[in-house]
Amino acid sequence: MKHIVKERLRTIFLGKRLEDAALASEKFNVLWGIPVFASDAISSVSYAGEEILLVLIPVLGMASFGTFLPIVAAIIALLGILVFCYRQTIDAYPQGGGAYIVASDNLGENAGLVAGAALIIGYILTVAVSACAGAAAVTSAFPALHPWKAVIALVLIALLTWGNLRGMRESAVMFGVPTYLFIGTMLLLIVVGIVRYASGSYTPAETQIVVSNAQDTLLFVILRAFASGCTALTGVEAVSNGVPNFREPAQRNAKTVLYAMAGFVCIVFFGVSLLINMYHIVPNEQATAVSQLAEAVFGSGSVLYYLVQVMTVVILTLAANTAFAGLPLLMALMAQDGYLPRRLIYRGSRLNYSNGILFLFVAAAILVLAFNGDQHLLLPLYASGVFLSFLLSQLGMVLHWVRRKGPGWKTKAFINGFGTIVTATTLVIIVIMKFLQGAWVTLLTIVLLVWLMHSIKKHYAAVSDDLTIPTIEAARALLLGGDEPSSTPAPRGKVILPVQTLNRSFIKVLNCASDFEGAEIEYFHVASSEEQAKKLKEQFAELGVRGTFVYEITHYRNTEEVLLRHIEAEHAALPPHGHLTVMMASLIVRNRWARPLHNQTTQTLIRRMEQYRNVYVFQVPYLI
Amino acid sequence: MKHIVKERLRTIFLGKRLEDAALASEKFNVLWGIPVFASDAISSVSYAGEEILLVLIPVLGMASFGTFLPIVAAIIALLGILVFCYRQTIDAYPQGGGAYIVASDNLGENAGLVAGAALIIGYILTVAVSACAGAAAVTSAFPALHPWKAVIALVLIALLTWGNLRGMRESAVMFGVPTYLFIGTMLLLIVVGIVRYASGSYTPAETQIVVSNAQDTLLFVILRAFASGCTALTGVEAVSNGVPNFREPAQRNAKTVLYAMAGFVCIVFFGVSLLINMYHIVPNEQATAVSQLAEAVFGSGSVLYYLVQVMTVVILTLAANTAFAGLPLLMALMAQDGYLPRRLIYRGSRLNYSNGILFLFVAAAILVLAFNGDQHLLLPLYASGVFLSFLLSQLGMVLHWVRRKGPGWKTKAFINGFGTIVTATTLVIIVIMKFLQGAWVTLLTIVLLVWLMHSIKKHYAAVSDDLTIPTIEAARALLLGGDEPSSTPAPRGKVILPVQTLNRSFIKVLNCASDFEGAEIEYFHVASSEEQAKKLKEQFAELGVRGTFVYEITHYRNTEEVLLRHIEAEHAALPPHGHLTVMMASLIVRNRWARPLHNQTTQTLIRRMEQYRNVYVFQVPYLI
């Protein structure tokens, strides 16, 4: 049987089907939770510093290195504040859900939807940006691959999709070990780099940089650089969003992962930035800042240089994986609330949200293609959405504490209040500094998404109102010809059999029409000439079957139109509760390649007849 | 009603529907026949000379201009021979059909298919090459548009498709006048150019050309240049192919068009080539040879220069139109013989072969995209296929005369025999010279197409064998439960109603099930738990409807699979001539945008049930 073969293929590709009961065991402990939930923030080391420099250097030249480290320090301080704030979110929301849940819980539906939309965009951009930055690490090491950057990014995304379709646990094991290797490699880079610099065995090349006519004030430039660097903080919310994905005690494990993440980001981000500053690295089109740094520290072409590049690709892949863990969960949550298509709720055969995973794949792939794999163009879209969700989450937490009170609520509200002010300030800076470069796209998309979500909710409510029957009595009242004396008698439906020629497939339909014993049967024929119609009519008479032969002549080769108009007229003339059955053979060609050889007339007709409420289609397959 | 609105839109877009009887009046006289059938050959002026020079100049440098004109003269001589030969084809085949008909008539099925395949490829390339060359004329005049060359070519093809979907006559009127303007413009260019040159008011710039280390012999280079120039002759067969598209007297009109075409090509091609030679035009990436020539003669930026460019675009558009006139006709012919999908036979509402037109659009668009709008890369694919069809056509004509005899058959056979030798020689030259550059692709595609056409023919024959019933007696014997004493009694089909919950759409199906009065009815439910199933079973008992309630439990969220496996089992257990009816509601969402919000479960199930020969699907639409 075909479905057995298909099942076997799906097992090879996706792994064995998992029972509903297997859900509990597919959860993370701290060791595997770190790579899955913290890699996004850790990975930003590979591009955040570079983004800051890309703003500073064209204006300030080598003087950039005077302001670079303070900006990095400010971002790390911001990270510290966020960790403090999200710690409280994990405490308050053990069921997870992050900004979407917190905002809708405390600030109402619209704030929740805005936060949800911002998170969705953020997750998609995480995948797109990380894949492009990973591809940049590859092309930095192998400049010959530069024209294939977008393709490399797409391959990375496709591999991640596949891994995630196979299921949660395996994705953690598959990607876990390398994160720790990445952290180790970066620590090695930092230590060796500092030692080499301190021992004086390296002198930075004094590159000549043409500085543009700086019309912006220094403050403006620094704020813009800060806004660019804030991309380092994307992904901080993933942990609080995914609390139910942790093993028990879930909250404690989640908090441990949150701290570990902050610690690693702090050390690696600051260490690498320090080195970039010491070595006066100037990022360019061909090689990323980290690539140049590793070359300077370990020597061009050395094994350790390639190790850094490989690990960068791996950590960025992991960062994208954060989104694959987070987005489908978030979308399932929002779909359960009726704001997104219901198919996002269902878990696939491997207990993951396969539709959400596939959605993420498609959305990220489109972004990578549209921006031709250039992360510098994608990053301005990124931070504004993420900080909007941070802000709503913090604001929601303040109201949460204020309303619920409970022990120490004032301190807690104060911490989240401070977080609100800080994230609001950062968001304003980001939106102003990045508005024309892309923040407007993000904000506009958020507005559209919120509108879309409202419409979806309204649609589902209408459908449910339409379909639901409150009680069995109500259902019984709807039955036609039931035993109740009150019930309407069921009128017999007329059966129409469209016919072109008397061939085997039509005879098969004819045989089946005997199922409708008492019904009126009509054979409807569309001819291009009177003779053709007469001839078929005679054949029917000779055949001697029950029913009336009706025909219509057309000179416009539009057989389908004529048939449909006939059915429309019959439909219009139906009595109340009446219906019409159209019986048709559909030619099923087993050979897939031979299908385009047949006019899909039957399928087109069926699709077009769907508009008539009381026209039922009886399809008799004729297999070839 | 919706279909009235649609009909009105189609009238605006495609024009009024035409009756079958309108076919006769949609034909060409000589005046409009020339632009439609001869524009391909005439338009080649804009690229054929350039292709010759692109072969010569890298090897011979400025010495190229010594061999350029003789090559042009040889190609014009070849044109003369072909005109003589095709004149005889028009005489012998008033019903038209060109190489495909001639070859299959006289040389058998396979030769006919090879010729047909070669012609199909030729027509597609005509569109692709002409559109790209037209785009090159645009980008020569406006270099800023250079990156958009492929897009411009696609727009040209799309406009042509639209024009041709509107119908034949209008395409002739729409494009007719400009052809004559093109010829006039070219004559003006030639006369002014010769006068300027003769009066000594122009001295060719002696460009320095780096000549590659010529390892090829002079003969080899000249032959390759000749092979490149042969693209000028593509399209000569269009007239003989389309004889039935001419007004009566069709044959005489067709011949007049053939002569007119040859005359125009001869004058314009030779004239322009002469000027290119005089003015020492060297084609480059940025500007075509004709564009440079017009600039030299009329002055850069002058009105007349732009007129030449505009007219070049127009004539190339017309050339592409030749294919839009020829290919759908040829494919309809081949489809009638059963070698191509049958849908190519049907004329659309405007009496043209709309499916063939759309096929040509898609195929040409793919080529333009794949070759990024570069006609220099497309041209090597072109000539080999065209000359293969010429050769088969000539060889077929020789056999035609030899077999039929008739007055003067010896002279006629001799003329076509000479044509055979000349086209065979040219074909050999083209294939050898262009093999690696693309001729191999063309030849391989021809082989594949021929194989495909054989398969299609075989498939249709098998289907027809399967469906046809020779006599009414045979048809009567196939009827179940007929009046004949011999006939098999019709077994009643069991009716299965899959059910998830008791909602309105299910009640609608339930009401309809009463149509099957005597049949066994089964309600089949897939539950994820025993309680869920029990609850529904109770509701059914309370409702009190006829039929058995059957359920199955699954823990793998694969409701569809379980249902399908149940149906498969029931299907396997059917008695001979038995059948099974599956009744299902299909949720029809009127809002198009809301459709993705519903799992298309019903549609998927219907598609998957098609594999079971005796499972019939009864679809009850539930409109929302």
Side-chain angles (χ1 to χ4, degrees), chain A residues 1 3 17-20 341 343 346-349 351 455-456 459-460 463 466-469 472-473 475-476 478-480 483 490 492-493 502-505 507-508 510-512 514-517 539 542-545 555-558 565 568 579 581 588-590 593-594 596-600 603 606 610-624, chain B residues 1 3 17-20 341-343 346-349 351 455-456 459-460 463 466-469 472-473 475-476 478-480 483 490 492-493 502-505 507-508 510-512 514-517 539 542-545 555-558 565 568 579 581 588-590 593-594 596-599 603 606 610-624:
Chain A
M1 310 283 140
H3 71 85
R17 280 177 192 276
L18 293 173
E19 246 187 286
D20 293 349
R343 62 184 69 188
Y346 305 112
R347 286 174 184 267
S349 59
L351 284 175
S455 312
I456 290 174
H459 171 82
Y460 277 133
V463 171
D466 195 345
L467 283 177
T468 313
I469 307 175
I472 288 294
E473 286 68 44
R476 209 181 291 139
L478 288 169
L479 280 181
L480 300 178
D483 303 325
R492 264 307 161 75
L502 273 186
N503 58 18
R504 272 171 202 274
S505 65
I507 298 282
K508 191 172 180 188
L510 211 51
N511 279 331
C512 190
S514 60
D515 274 11
F516 298 84
E517 222 166 80
Q539 289 183 328
E542 235 181 299
L543 198 60
V545 285
H555 295 297
Y556 295 89
R557 305 160 302 282
N558 54 344
R565 240 167 294 160
E568 185 177 300
H579 67 265
T581 303
I588 309 295
V589 185
R590 285 202 218 225
W593 74 261
L597 296 182
H598 296 273
N599 287 304
Q600 304 292 327
Q603 293 315 314
I606 291 174
E610 283 174 351
Q611 56 180 311
Y612 306 121
R613 190 181 287 277
N614 293 312
V615 172
Y616 305 163
V617 176
F618 194 109
Q619 222 178 323
V620 178
Y622 190 88
L623 274 70
I624 288 180
Chain B
M1 308 283 142
H3 70 85
R17 280 177 192 276
L18 293 174
E19 246 188 285
D20 293 350
R342 213 167 280 158
R343 62 184 68 185
Y346 304 112
R347 286 173 183 267
S349 59
L351 285 174
S455 314
I456 289 174
H459 171 82
Y460 277 133
V463 171
D466 195 343
L467 282 177
T468 311
I469 307 175
I472 289 292
E473 286 67 47
R476 209 180 292 138
L478 288 170
L479 280 181
L480 300 178
D483 304 326
R492 264 310 164 72
L502 272 187
N503 57 18
R504 273 170 201 275
S505 66
I507 297 283
K508 191 172 180 189
L510 210 50
N511 280 331
C512 190
S514 59
D515 274 10
F516 298 84
E517 220 165 81
Q539 288 183 327
E542 233 180 301
L543 199 60
V545 285
H555 295 297
Y556 296 89
R557 303 160 304 284
N558 54 344
R565 239 168 292 161
E568 186 177 299
H579 66 264
T581 302
I588 310 295
V589 184
R590 285 203 219 224
W593 75 261
L597 297 182
H598 296 272
N599 286 303
Q603 294 313 315
I606 291 176
E610 282 174 351
Q611 55 179 313
Y612 307 120
R613 189 181 286 279
N614 294 312
V615 172
Y616 306 162
V617 176
F618 194 110
Q619 221 178 321
V620 177
Y622 192 88
L623 273 71
I624 287 179

Side-chain angles (χ1 to χ4, degrees), chain A residues 408-425:
Chain A
W409 69 271
K410 280 184 185 163
T411 322
K412 286 172 175 172
F414 176 79
I415 291 176
N416 284 124
F418 185 63
T420 308
I421 292 165
V422 170
T423 50
T425 313

